[in-house]
Amino acid sequence: MVRQIKRVQCPECGLKVKSEGGLKRHIEAKHAEPQPDPPAPRFPTPDLNSFNTPPPQSRPPSPVFSSQRSPRHRQNGSPVRLQWSAAPLDLRKYGTHVEMAHPILDGTPCDQNGYDLPENNLPAPVVNDNEFDDWAPFQNATEFKLAEFLYHKVQMSAGDIDTLSQLISELMAPERSDNVPFHNHREMYGLIDAIRQGEIQWESFTVKFNSDLPEDQSPLPAWKQQEYQVWFRDPLAIMEQMLANPSFKTEMDVSPKRLFKNGKRLYRDLMTGNWAWTQCDEIAEDEIRRAHRNAVALLGFLAIPKTSQDHAGGADFRKFRRQLFHTSLEHVLSSLKPYMTSPKVTKCADGHYRRVIYGLGPYIADYPEQALLACIVQGWCPRCTAPPDDLDSVPGRRSHEHTDSLFAGEGCSLKELWDDYGIVTDLQPFTRSFPRADIHELLSPDLLHQIIKGTFKDHLVDWVFEYIDATYSKQEASQRKADIDRRISITSPYAGLRQFHEGRGFKQWTGDDSKGLMKIFLPAIVGHVPPQMVRAVADFMEFCYLVRRSVIDEDALNAIDDAVSRFHRNREIFRTSGIRPDGFSLPRQHSMIHYRPLIQQFGAPNGLCSSITESKHIKAVKRPWRRSSRNKPLGQMLLTNQRLDKLAAYRVDLESRDKLQPPKGYLKRIQDSLPPPLPPDNGDNEDEGPVDEPFSQGDVKLSKRAAKGVPRTLTDLAVYVSQPSLPVLIRHFLYNQRYLDAPLGQRGCDVPINQCPNFLDDHPVYLHNSAQATFFAPSDMSGLGGMRRERLRAVKSWFGGAARYDCVFMEGDTLEDGFSGLLVGRVFMFFRFSFEGRVYPCALIHWFSTIGNGPCDLTGLWMVQPDFDREGNPNLEVIHLDCIYRGAHLIGITGDTHLPATGIAASDSLDAYEAFYVNKYIDYHAHEIAF
């Protein structure tokens, strides 16, 4: 039902908004006074024993499979039009006050000589900047686009480029054969190599073992005689190219800032954390005090020494490998060092020049590399001094100063430092050579390796199945593990959800596999392991999804501490059951206690995960290697990366000079800040993904095309979709649309059908197989403005197989938070029709009702069940498409019941169960709204 919209006026500025909730958010965003951020210790350690123990929790219901359905009743209230509107990355959605700029290092624009410009001064116009002429070295835009398509998009081989060029030449008339873009791959490669934009040459240096030769003149091992070559590009040139990239014009912070909501601090990206602000404080104390889309770049290829098995474990070889690593990093980054204490005037993306101070920021690495970087012994924590056999004790903080005090001040020997503090003292971290840099402070959170692959997949999942093997007989353990696999395999489909057709029993795991299993693992183990073990997994999941949020406030930080405390308490079941008799001193799991201070230092970990660097590794290393001849591939890989960078820089330069227009309407929407239309739906095959459009409005729209070969008359369509009540439901819907303000007792199905508007077969009805939901989800992999889209399906046959009818969230009680303010239903039809000159996009919904007044005590997930009338018929209603918020994922509640070995498929899941968990872990946006 569509609620009538009444405008509410702001008492401060007179702005009219749609609802009281909208007025509240407007006042918080525009008129609230910020509260000072309370001081916090530099590296606070959460007190893991200060939280209250939750009350005893009961087990969830254990429904069985049955065709008998009991009558259900939907809760009072009808769905209303969604009033919440999305916002871009300026955090208007959060009602956030922004305290902009450090008071001294505030990013004030200057001229090319370093002198401040007047306030609001426009950047100087670009006059033949860099002397790039029109399309050079290409003749026109089409020639460049073809080269970009062949080399970057499809990565066509040299031989295939030659074949294509020859075919194009043969298709053209003889007198026009000279107009072929390029005659072979060499000519195309030559054009790309001639691009001057983005040209940063590769440099190299060699390193060799230089210790004293043995007195007995015995033959040196090969690794001591070999020269190791390191290839890199000047980091200063890379940074200057990034800073000047005009595509980052609206997405770059030139100084740290602090965010507040309702007087509480928010943490988002690096520039909102304490570390960036502290760096500015330290810089401001120096003499310089008054001197005022390729965002990830490949810097270099480090050498990795290898040797035979008899030398690999030697102390000399291990020491040399570590020294080579740190020495190489120090040399590669050396060009930045002069400008870490003195500013360099640099052109920025908005066209202004600014005085730039460089510094070494957070370092993203997995645990083995963190140990190497921090020069510590494996098994110790690189950030704190907790001993490896008791990592969760209250530790001190590691630092360069701490190491120096132990070595010089207390006179500890090398052996004592190794044994008692886990310090490798015959090696110096590369950060010692740079100002304001301490590697122990700079090591950032690593969600992928520490949390997803580490704590979840390598620890919890393995421990659960070890428990089953240790507790039950071999036969029963196999049956229970097989039942868990069946539960996983029949999980209902959802846009973007990895389908585990054989359960989780496969050998080659990837990060995406681990992420996919996380979304559906919790309900699958209920009934097969003790309740405390289920709660431990649930507590970990809560922690994981909290730290993954794109914006984290102080309440979320407290919730993170609470989740860690509960997890530590409930994971004891693995110790008492004999699975972990020696405890939990595991560096990756131990890292969870450092996440709160790391978030306060560096902002939300969402922007620092090693998934970012791994994605770049695929593009910069794996794919270029596959394109090489495999014979001395490094040189070919370097050239491939250089050409790709040039193509990207060339495109950015042409777009900035209006020589190559971005997608139609893109610049106008940015300039006018207007909501753009949804991307076209040209095939209904894109299930989900980011929306690369700024300033979008959260919305649900029908697919672009109606289903083909489907009856258009209402009577025939009702037969086609097996919904005989459809004509009556549409008439009730039209009554509700006509009388929006009618009392609850006089709405829709509560009135006689003869009082409802007539809807005859001369009104065509168009069936659609899907709809597209677009919503603000910055924590997920979203496009510009934090927007994400997903495809909702309601189709009789999905890819020639079984039917697929997805579930959705709808807004219910607007005064309630989280899932309490949402409704759930299953869509059996998407359709549209016209009546009295108005087009109605609609959905036929089967209602679900909530079980209980809160989430399940065991899993923390809300539970729902489908509604039926006294005769056992589904409780259906036609609603306006505007009532739908986004998709909802439901997982059947099995409890301690074993699934039959055959006869149930994933497509049957929503029909086979009597009750369901509402899966808030299907994505991070669902976790934020279905709590």
Side-chain angles (χ1 to χ4, degrees):
M1 202 63 54
V2 179
R3 176 180 293 174
Q4 187 174 11
I5 305 300
K6 297 181 179 180
R7 298 286 178 175
V8 183
Q9 189 171 13
C10 174
E12 298 287 340
C13 63
L15 178 70
K16 291 184 178 181
V17 296
K18 295 180 180 180
S19 65
E20 294 291 344
L23 177 62
K24 180 181 178 182
R25 291 190 291 270
H26 165 74
I27 292 175
E28 290 176 352
K30 300 298 183 182
H31 305 301
E33 292 295 329
Q35 300 296 322
D37 188 34
R42 185 177 177 85
F43 281 90
T45 301
D47 181 0
L48 301 179
N49 299 312
S50 63
F51 301 100
N52 295 326
T53 302
Q57 298 173 328
S58 59
R59 302 183 69 178
S62 301
V64 296
F65 295 92
S66 171
S67 60
Q68 300 296 322
R69 304 287 188 162
S70 58
R72 313 293 187 202
H73 298 282
R74 181 165 58 92
Q75 294 175 323
N76 292 333
S78 299
V80 297
R81 181 181 177 86
L82 190 64
Q83 296 302 314
W84 171 84
S85 61
L89 289 180
D90 63 2
L91 297 181
R92 287 178 295 183
K93 180 251 185 184
Y94 293 93
T96 305
H97 170 82
V98 182
E99 178 184 324
M100 288 297 295
H102 190 274
I104 299 175
L105 279 73
D106 57 0
T108 300
C110 64
D111 60 22
Q112 297 187 44
N113 297 315
Y115 294 104
D116 285 354
L117 293 176
E119 188 174 357
N120 299 323
N121 194 75
L122 295 176
V126 177
V127 181
N128 198 21
D129 191 30
N130 296 323
E131 300 181 354
F132 295 141
D133 299 324
D134 294 334
W135 307 104
F138 298 95
Q139 299 182 41
N140 50 53
T142 303
E143 190 173 282
F144 159 69
K145 290 178 181 178
L146 179 59
E148 183 185 46
F149 175 77
L150 297 179
Y151 195 84
H152 172 63
K153 180 72 173 179
V154 300
Q155 302 179 19
M156 186 175 286
S157 66
D160 288 345
I161 293 174
D162 291 343
T163 301
L164 178 63
S165 299
Q166 180 64 30
L167 292 174
I168 294 175
S169 179
E170 292 174 0
L171 286 172
M172 300 181 72
E175 63 273 11
R176 299 181 58 195
S177 60
D178 291 340
N179 294 330
V180 175
F182 21 78
H183 294 86
N184 51 55
H185 74 277
R186 293 186 183 86
E187 189 173 331
M188 188 187 84
Y189 292 170
L191 290 172
I192 297 175
D193 293 337
I195 295 175
R196 296 172 57 192
Q197 294 92 325
E199 186 170 14
I200 302 177
Q201 296 295 328
W202 288 94
E203 306 174 37
S204 69
F205 61 88
T206 57
V207 182
K208 185 177 180 180
F209 182 81
N210 63 356
S211 183
D212 296 333
L213 295 175
E215 296 181 358
D216 58 2
Q217 298 299 317
S218 59
L220 291 174
W223 69 267
K224 288 188 176 181
Q225 304 177 57
Q226 184 178 348
E227 289 187 347
Y228 299 94
Q229 195 168 30
V230 177
W231 286 89
F232 70 102
R233 297 187 298 173
D234 183 3
L236 180 61
I238 292 175
M239 292 303 303
E240 290 184 326
Q241 189 177 97
M242 279 189 181
L243 290 172
N245 188 336
S247 64
F248 298 152
K249 182 166 115 175
T250 61
E251 302 175 50
M252 185 180 293
D253 290 323
V254 296
S255 65
K257 59 181 179 290
R258 288 172 174 166
L259 306 180
F260 298 89
K261 178 184 178 182
N262 298 331
K264 296 180 180 179
R265 181 80 175 270
L266 296 182
Y267 300 90
R268 191 187 76 185
D269 51 36
L270 180 66
M271 298 299 276
T272 65
N274 293 331
W275 178 83
W277 196 277
T278 303
Q279 286 284 297
C280 286
D281 287 341
E282 294 179 8
I283 293 171
E285 294 175 358
D286 298 337
E287 294 180 358
I288 63 169
R289 173 186 180 120
R290 304 311 302 174
H292 286 280
R293 188 65 45 216
N294 285 328
V296 180
L298 175 65
L299 178 59
F301 289 84
L302 300 182
I304 303 177
K306 296 181 180 179
T307 187
S308 58
Q309 195 65 31
D310 53 340
H311 294 291
D316 284 350
F317 179 71
R318 294 200 308 269
K319 179 179 178 180
F320 174 70
R321 289 189 61 172
R322 292 193 293 260
Q323 288 178 330
L324 175 61
F325 178 79
H326 285 273
T327 301
S328 299
L329 283 178
E330 180 182 348
H331 183 79
V332 166
L333 297 170
S334 59
S335 65
L336 294 172
K337 190 172 182 179
Y339 305 108
M340 292 180 175
T341 53
S342 298
K344 188 176 193 303
V345 176
T346 305
K347 186 177 181 180
C348 296
D350 60 1
H352 280 296
Y353 287 87
R354 288 180 175 86
R355 294 173 293 273
V356 176
I357 295 288
Y358 291 92
L360 300 185
Y363 196 118
I364 305 173
D366 58 9
Y367 176 74
E369 188 176 351
Q370 287 185 352
L372 173 61
L373 285 161
C375 299
I376 64 163
V377 180
Q378 288 275 347
W380 290 74
C381 175
R383 294 192 60 86
C384 70
T385 58
D389 57 351
D390 189 16
L391 282 174
D392 290 330
S393 61
V394 179
R397 187 178 74 86
R398 289 191 187 272
S399 66
H400 293 333
E401 293 78 6
H402 175 256
T403 301
D404 292 341
S405 67
L406 293 174
F407 187 71
E410 301 185 16
C412 295
S413 66
L414 298 183
K415 186 177 186 304
E416 289 174 328
L417 290 173
W418 180 289
D419 293 338
D420 298 340
Y421 296 95
I423 298 174
V424 181
T425 53
D426 57 355
L427 188 66
Q428 296 293 327
F430 78 97
T431 51
R432 281 188 175 273
S433 302
F434 297 93
R436 307 183 312 280
D438 187 329
I439 191 60
H440 305 291
E441 179 186 13
L442 296 179
L443 291 173
S444 70
D446 179 9
L447 290 169
L448 179 62
H449 291 97
Q450 291 173 341
I451 304 303
I452 298 170
K453 284 186 175 181
T455 305
F456 175 69
K457 191 267 175 184
D458 292 341
H459 298 164
L460 295 179
V461 174
D462 288 351
W463 295 351
V464 164
F465 289 100
E466 287 176 22
Y467 169 83
I468 294 175
D469 287 332
T471 304
Y472 302 100
S473 67
K474 184 175 181 180
Q475 181 180 0
E476 185 174 358
S478 297
Q479 291 174 350
R480 287 180 177 272
K481 290 190 291 185
D483 187 63
I484 291 175
D485 283 342
R486 282 194 292 272
R487 295 182 185 186
I488 292 172
S489 67
I490 71 165
T491 299
S492 57
Y494 191 81
L497 177 63
R498 161 87 155 85
Q499 286 293 311
F500 295 86
H501 300 291
E502 303 300 327
R504 44 88 231 168
F506 54 93
K507 296 180 180 179
Q508 189 65 36
W509 279 82
T510 66
D512 288 339
D513 293 328
S514 297
K515 293 174 185 176
L517 185 62
M518 284 182 68
K519 298 177 180 182
I520 59 177
F521 184 69
L522 182 60
I525 64 174
V526 175
H528 288 299
V529 296
Q532 187 178 352
M533 198 171 289
V534 178
R535 293 189 191 105
V537 176
D539 294 333
F540 166 77
M541 293 291 294
E542 195 67 16
F543 166 84
C544 183
Y545 276 68
L546 284 168
V547 298
R548 178 63 169 74
R549 289 184 177 179
S550 188
V551 177
I552 299 176
D553 59 16
E554 293 175 15
D555 292 336
L557 288 176
N558 293 332
I560 288 170
D561 285 345
D562 194 22
V564 172
S565 177
R566 295 196 312 271
F567 173 67
H568 283 183
R569 184 167 56 248
N570 284 320
R571 71 177 178 179
E572 287 297 315
I573 185 64
F574 293 107
R575 189 201 303 264
T576 57
S577 63
I579 304 304
R580 293 292 304 177
D582 297 328
F584 309 96
S585 284
L586 302 163
R588 289 180 294 178
Q589 200 168 126
H590 159 75
S591 68
M592 293 171 65
I593 70 170
H594 292 304
Y595 268 67
R596 179 184 179 123
L598 286 171
I599 290 168
Q600 292 173 314
Q601 288 294 99
F602 300 135
N606 198 11
L608 295 172
C609 180
S610 57
S611 297
I612 299 171
T613 53
E614 288 209 353
S615 175
K616 186 65 177 180
H617 182 263
I618 292 172
K619 297 177 182 178
V621 179
K622 290 186 176 180
R623 290 178 184 170
W625 182 84
R626 295 187 192 114
R627 296 174 66 167
S628 73
S629 66
R630 314 295 202 274
N631 180 27
K632 298 181 178 179
L634 180 56
Q636 302 168 59
M637 294 163 63
L638 297 178
L639 185 57
T640 296
N641 275 284
Q642 184 160 309
R643 287 170 175 166
L644 291 173
D645 288 345
K646 285 190 172 188
L647 286 170
Y650 183 87
R651 169 172 282 278
V652 169
D653 177 64
L654 291 184
E655 289 177 353
S656 69
R657 294 189 286 130
D658 294 330
K659 293 291 185 181
L660 189 67
Q661 291 296 331
K664 186 177 180 181
Y666 177 84
L667 292 177
K668 187 178 188 301
R669 285 195 295 273
I670 290 182
Q671 294 165 357
D672 299 341
S673 301
L674 293 176
L678 287 173
D681 172 21
N682 294 320
D684 294 350
N685 288 325
E686 186 173 7
D687 272 3
E688 51 87 32
V691 181
D692 292 329
E693 301 283 356
F695 305 104
S696 288
Q697 177 87 13
D699 202 1
V700 179
K701 291 187 180 298
L702 293 175
S703 58
K704 185 177 181 181
R705 296 191 297 262
K708 297 181 179 179
V710 176
R712 296 284 191 252
T713 63
L714 179 57
T715 302
D716 292 340
L717 180 61
V719 174
Y720 176 81
V721 297
S722 302
Q723 298 292 347
S725 62
L726 181 62
V728 173
L729 294 175
I730 288 181
R731 294 182 67 182
H732 285 154
F733 167 78
L734 291 174
Y735 179 91
N736 293 334
Q737 294 294 305
R738 180 174 290 180
Y739 302 105
L740 292 175
D741 295 327
L744 287 178
Q746 302 176 16
R747 306 290 295 276
C749 59
D750 297 318
V751 301
I753 188 64
N754 59 7
Q755 296 183 18
C756 298
N758 285 323
F759 189 84
L760 305 176
D761 277 352
D762 57 355
H763 293 83
V765 180
Y766 298 90
L767 180 72
H768 289 253
N769 290 330
S770 68
Q772 182 174 270
T774 306
F775 48 90
F776 183 65
S779 300
D780 293 285
M781 295 301 292
S782 304
L784 295 178
M787 302 306 297
R788 181 178 175 82
R789 65 179 168 212
E790 64 181 9
R791 182 71 59 184
L792 308 173
R793 308 283 179 180
V795 58
K796 291 182 65 175
S797 177
W798 174 242
F799 279 105
R804 176 169 168 180
Y805 300 109
D806 291 343
C807 297
V808 294
F809 285 121
M810 293 157 286
E811 189 172 4
D813 188 347
T814 57
L815 299 179
E816 296 287 343
D817 293 328
F819 183 77
S820 298
L822 298 173
L823 298 172
V824 173
R826 188 179 182 191
V827 181
F828 282 134
M829 281 181 65
F830 288 115
F831 62 99
R832 61 180 167 86
F833 61 88
S834 297
F835 185 75
E836 296 181 347
R838 181 177 176 184
V839 177
Y840 291 96
C842 297
L844 178 63
I845 295 291
H846 181 193
W847 288 109
F848 283 64
S849 291
T850 304
I851 300 175
N853 297 320
C856 167
D857 292 334
L858 195 58
T859 63
L861 303 174
W862 285 84
M863 299 176 290
V864 295
Q865 56 192 3
D867 286 354
F868 296 89
D869 61 22
R870 290 186 176 88
E871 288 74 34
N873 299 313
N875 188 352
L876 303 176
E877 184 175 349
V878 171
I879 66 169
H880 197 286
L881 200 65
D882 286 343
C883 300
I884 296 176
Y885 188 176
R886 53 153 296 174
H889 187 237
L890 305 185
I891 299 179
I893 302 176
T894 311
D896 53 10
T897 304
H898 285 230
L899 296 176
T902 59
I904 303 177
S907 57
D908 304 322
S909 181
L910 291 174
D911 297 310
Y913 288 91
E914 285 190 337
F916 301 86
Y917 291 116
V918 179
N919 185 12
K920 66 178 178 179
Y921 298 123
I922 189 62
D923 56 49
Y924 294 94
H925 180 258
H927 182 262
E928 292 184 2
I929 66 170
F931 58 88

